[in-house]
Amino acid sequence: DSGVTQTPKHLITATGQRVTLRCSPRSGDLSVYWYQQSLDQGLQFLIHYYNGEERAKGNILERFSAQQFPDLHSELNLSSLELGDSALYFCASSVTQGPEAFFGQGTRLTVV
Amino acid sequence: GQNIDQPTEMTATEGAIVQINCTYQTSGFNGLFWYQQHAGEAPTFLSYNVLDGLEEKGRFSSFLSRSKGYSYLLLKELQMKDSASYLCAVRDPDSWGKLQFGAGTQVVVTP
């Protein structure tokens, strides 16, 4: 157990819908990262938050947004869902300058 | 951007040694990581190299040559549980929070 908690574990939804994925980082970790992993794209960096502020953005679609709250948990919002958004979404957290990021178990999103 | 290449699949026998190579092309460098990922599970951190040389951690070792844009992960005394995907990742030089991952090398350990 990495100490990073993601909910829900599985999510099935229809095209055009909106979902919210939640992540609670390890106790004391200020950084939260979101990654998307699909079969054809591998593990892709989406966004990084540090202590509530956005620090880096990857190839995140405009339909996707994220935020980190004062209690440090983070949410990833995916809207106008398409079949191609089906993937595993991972959250990871780390200490301020630590090289090691701890990954949660992921949310498997299936868009039908 | 950065380009990261690693072999797609490798097969080795239980008890043997396997070396997974990773080459990267980048405009800057701020550290290289290796992660292990079993199918459907979360990646788990194995090693981090920022200076040239070998880092050893139990049965796993990782080597880095920055001048050659090259790293390898060495797995010794292979066990069946080592069957997994091994991901090489490079940290963005402008953003320490951003990792770019290679496609992963699937290692299959046979009896």
Side-chain angles (χ1 to χ4, degrees):
Chain A
D1 183 3
S2 67
V4 179
T5 304
Q6 288 187 248
T7 56
K9 285 189 171 52
H10 301 277
L11 196 50
I12 302 175
T13 190
T15 54
Q17 294 299 304
R18 172 189 169 94
V19 297
T20 297
L21 313 183
R22 183 188 167 101
C23 170
S24 294
R26 293 186 321 152
S27 177
D29 284 358
L30 299 177
S31 276
V32 169
Y33 317 84
W34 287 97
Y35 288 86
Q36 178 193 56
Q37 188 172 40
S38 56
L39 282 174
D40 58 343
Q41 293 284 337
L43 198 59
Q44 300 284 321
F45 170 80
L46 293 178
I47 200 162
H48 167 218
Y49 277 85
Y50 173 75
N51 202 22
E53 290 187 10
E54 181 186 303
R55 285 298 179 93
K57 235 176 185 177
N59 295 327
I60 186 168
L61 300 171
E62 285 191 12
R63 300 183 285 108
F64 296 2
S65 65
Q67 53 184 326
Q68 185 180 28
F69 294 87
D71 66 353
L72 301 178
H73 91 271
S74 178
E75 292 181 357
L76 179 67
N77 300 295
L78 316 174
S79 61
S80 303
L81 283 168
E82 302 174 0
L83 295 178
D85 298 326
S86 295
L88 258 175
Y89 290 84
F90 286 107
C91 166
S93 74
S94 70
V95 298
T96 308
Q97 296 290 345
E100 180 177 356
F102 294 86
F103 281 75
Q105 289 302 306
T107 293
R108 182 172 292 281
L109 174 67
T110 303
V111 182
V112 297
Chain B
Q2 304 181 91
N3 193 37
I4 300 169
D5 290 312
Q6 48 181 133
T8 304
E9 184 171 313
M10 302 182 75
T11 301
T13 308
E14 197 174 8
I17 298 173
V18 69
Q19 177 174 314
I20 306 168
N21 296 324
C22 171
T23 57
Y24 62 91
Q25 295 169 326
T26 174
S27 56
F29 182 79
N30 195 15
L32 187 140
F33 299 73
W34 285 95
Y35 278 82
Q36 179 194 59
Q37 186 178 26
H38 287 96
E41 296 184 10
T44 55
F45 172 82
L46 291 178
S47 69
Y48 168 65
N49 295 70
V50 66
L51 299 175
D52 290 352
L54 188 68
E55 294 280 342
E56 296 187 84
K57 194 187 285 189
R59 294 189 298 113
F60 295 172
S61 304
S62 58
F63 172 82
L64 175 67
S65 168
R66 288 172 296 169
S67 62
K68 295 180 179 172
Y70 168 69
S71 173
Y72 68 72
L73 179 70
L74 197 67
L75 314 181
K76 295 179 251 185
E77 300 168 20
L78 278 171
Q79 301 175 9
M80 298 300 291
K81 67 178 181 179
D82 297 329
S83 290
S85 182
Y86 291 83
L87 307 170
C88 171
V90 175
R91 176 181 279 172
D92 189 294
D94 298 321
S95 171
W96 61 265
K98 180 178 175 182
L99 295 184
Q100 180 167 347
F101 282 83
T105 298
Q106 185 66 42
V107 170
V108 177
V109 181
T110 59

